[in-house]
Amino acid sequence: MGSMLLAQSQISEQYRNSHNLDARIALHDRFSTNKYDWMRWVFDHMLAAPAASRVLEIGCGTGQLWKNNLDRIPSHWAVTLSDTSAGMIETARANLAATSFAAQVQFWQFDADHLPFDTASFDIVIANHMLYHVPNIDNTLGELRRVLKPGGQLFAATNGPNHMRELDELLVGFDPVLKLQAVTDQFRLDNGAPQLQKHFAQVSLQRYDSNLVVTEPALLLAYVYSVIRAFIIAERWAAFEAYVHAKFVERGGTLFIQKETGLFVAE
Ligand SMILES: C[S@@+](CC[C@H](N)C(=O)[O-])C[C@H]1O[C@@H](n2cnc3c(N)ncnc32)[C@H](O)[C@@H]1O
């Protein structure tokens, strides 16, 4: 059977509100071997930007990048957070509402296919873990380049082909149709650079070193449920839960899952 590619309608359904994304973030927060927070690590790379930068994030999700860095967002940055999902925007707005950062940020709902901004508007553009979803990536990269000022920087995080490979194997062991990796194929650590180089003169890749050592089947199941529930009908879910619990027992209560994650910086 073929691998599981998500159709655009399924991507919209997955991100309709933040619950699915929250389940995924919870697994990483809890079981990552690298205790230096991913969102702090990403933000570290942006701190060399001008003190009065205009910043655009597309596919901002729940606004976690900003929530995890509230203590050090330069006070003269003017930030626009955007997403194609109204539910995500609502959660991001709620997450940041009662903070001093709220005065610096505006929220916009639009699709990354066309950016409603003038050419050369931003010093920084961020597209983290989202370029693999856009319907026409070359068009989106062209738009990101267009709205950046000369000398501006694009930050684009994504995963590599081995990201969560052991989880993929676990799922495929239950049913070959449950293959997750295909979701990111369009823009990964191993194929992102040439795509960026079509639009940007300088492209570098920084890798974040971390894996998952999972000790609670329930959180792994919540993660899987958030990604593939549309494909597992109710009566098979119970069988899948039993299968996952048995795997934990078989491996002495611990499941190792490698991560392969990084950040492209393009100028
Ligand atoms: C995996 S989440 C990443 C969220 C956030 N950047 C982060 O790193 O936590 C992908 C996000 O991209 C958004 N998205 C998907 N397709 C999009 C598109 N065509 N235009 C804009 N946003 C999109 C989704 O709604 C979702 O919020």
Side-chain angles (χ1 to χ4, degrees):
M1 279 193 235
S3 64
M4 193 185 77
L5 273 166
L6 293 185
Q8 282 303 315
S9 60
Q10 291 163 338
I11 293 170
S12 307
E13 172 55 27
Q14 190 178 1
Y15 293 123
R16 194 168 47 81
N17 60 40
S18 68
H19 297 159
N20 294 328
L21 190 56
D22 289 344
R24 295 212 291 285
I25 290 171
L27 188 82
H28 288 286
D29 275 358
R30 186 71 194 282
F31 300 116
S32 289
T33 53
N34 188 339
K35 295 300 174 198
Y36 191 75
D37 179 67
W38 157 253
M39 295 295 182
R40 303 278 295 182
W41 181 87
V42 169
F43 206 77
D44 285 347
H45 296 87
M46 299 175 188
L47 288 171
S53 288
R54 288 196 68 204
V55 182
L56 168 67
E57 181 172 10
I58 61 166
C60 70
T62 59
Q64 200 75 27
L65 177 64
W66 305 93
K67 198 176 163 198
N68 289 19
N69 288 285
L70 283 171
D71 59 309
R72 58 176 181 161
I73 301 169
S75 59
H76 295 294
W77 280 12
V79 180
T80 301
L81 300 189
S82 67
D83 202 287
T84 191
S85 153
M88 286 294 180
I89 296 279
E90 206 176 294
T91 302
R93 194 195 297 273
N95 276 340
L96 300 166
T99 69
S100 57
F101 175 58
Q104 287 169 255
V105 62
Q106 2 178 334
F107 298 90
W108 286 47
Q109 185 190 353
F110 56 79
D111 194 280
D113 207 35
H114 172 71
L115 306 182
F117 301 105
D118 290 340
T119 297
S121 297
F122 295 96
D123 302 277
I124 295 179
V125 173
I126 304 161
N128 284 343
H129 284 113
M130 65 80 66
L131 285 171
Y132 42 74
H133 287 317
V134 301
N136 183 341
I137 186 165
D138 194 52
N139 193 59
T140 296
L141 291 176
E143 278 290 274
L144 295 173
R145 166 71 187 85
R146 183 183 67 75
V147 302
L148 268 175
K149 294 178 188 171
Q153 288 183 305
L154 164 67
F155 296 90
T158 189
N159 299 329
N162 294 313
H163 185 66
M164 311 281 282
R165 195 179 74 198
E166 292 77 6
L167 176 61
D168 204 34
E169 288 164 3
L170 184 80
L171 292 166
V172 169
F174 181 72
D175 183 338
V177 85
L178 301 176
K179 195 162 161 43
L180 294 181
Q181 295 296 336
V183 174
T184 63
D185 278 0
Q186 168 170 275
F187 186 80
R188 296 185 313 216
L189 296 182
D190 60 325
N191 66 13
Q195 302 189 69
L196 291 164
Q197 279 155 353
K198 278 180 71 183
H199 301 273
F200 296 88
Q202 273 183 50
V203 176
S204 67
L205 170 61
Q206 317 292 325
R207 286 177 181 266
Y208 176 75
D209 183 21
S210 188
N211 295 301
L212 290 173
V213 177
V214 185
T215 52
E216 276 185 36
L219 281 182
L220 185 67
L221 284 162
Y223 181 101
V224 172
Y225 190 79
S226 80
V227 182
I228 61 167
R229 66 176 157 190
F231 298 85
I232 295 191
I233 52 172
E235 57 267 30
R236 290 188 70 207
W237 182 252
F240 182 72
E241 279 184 317
Y243 165 82
V244 168
H245 280 282
K247 287 285 176 200
F248 270 86
V249 171
E250 195 182 297
R251 295 175 197 180
T254 299
L255 272 183
F256 172 85
I257 299 173
Q258 67 175 300
K259 292 207 276 187
E260 207 182 11
T261 304
L263 180 68
F264 284 109
V265 183
E267 300 185 27

